[in-house]
Amino acid sequence: MNGIASVLGTIATGGLAAWAARSAKRTKSQERRDDFTTVTTRMDKEIKRLELRQVEQQEQITGQGAAIAWLVTDRGRLVGYIRRAGGEPPAPRPIPPRARPYLDSIDV
């Protein structure tokens, strides 16, 4: 009887081990769902990083525009000062074609 009990115990243990292994195995849909979650999380991080970079670039462009406007205004004031003092300011250099579209937006 001890031999039969031992065999039955071995079969039961093997069956439980097989059932546990099957339960632990992930299905294809679970793998796909986890992959989708991982990819989505990574994309969300990238989008946030790009949005932050875009904000920083926009702030830089705005600052550069303000600097150009200030230089143009300051140059105009300097030319006015020279003329009021009775002098003739030097002739302005031609605006490079590459810079013209940016200066047109501030009425130069």
Side-chain angles (χ1 to χ4, degrees), residues 47-58:
I47 289 170
K48 287 177 185 174
R49 185 184 68 78
L50 290 173
E51 286 173 345
L52 178 62
R53 183 176 172 196
Q54 182 182 12
V55 167
E56 291 171 352
Q57 288 176 341
Q58 187 60 45

Side-chain angles (χ1 to χ4, degrees), residues 13-26:
T13 304
L16 287 173
W19 177 77
R22 174 68 180 113
S23 304
K25 183 179 176 190
R26 300 182 56 78

Side-chain angles (χ1 to χ4, degrees), residues 21-97:
R22 174 68 180 113
S23 304
K25 183 179 176 190
R26 300 182 56 78
T27 64
K28 288 286 186 191
S29 63
Q30 288 172 325
E31 292 293 333
R32 281 193 298 268
R33 185 174 56 240
D34 289 347
D35 289 346
F36 178 77
T37 302
T38 302
V39 169
T40 303
T41 302
R42 176 69 180 155
M43 286 176 60
D44 287 343
K45 287 180 183 178
E46 270 306 298
I47 289 170
K48 287 177 185 174
R49 185 184 68 78
L50 290 173
E51 286 173 345
L52 178 62
R53 183 176 172 196
Q54 182 182 12
V55 167
E56 291 171 352
Q57 288 176 341
Q58 187 60 45
E59 289 175 358
Q60 181 180 13
I61 290 169
T62 301
Q64 290 169 343
I68 292 170
W70 180 83
L71 288 169
V72 168
T73 303
D74 193 58
R75 181 179 177 274
R77 290 177 59 207
L78 182 59
V79 167
Y81 177 79
I82 292 171
R83 285 193 176 138
R84 280 192 305 275
E88 187 59 34
R93 296 182 312 174
I95 299 172

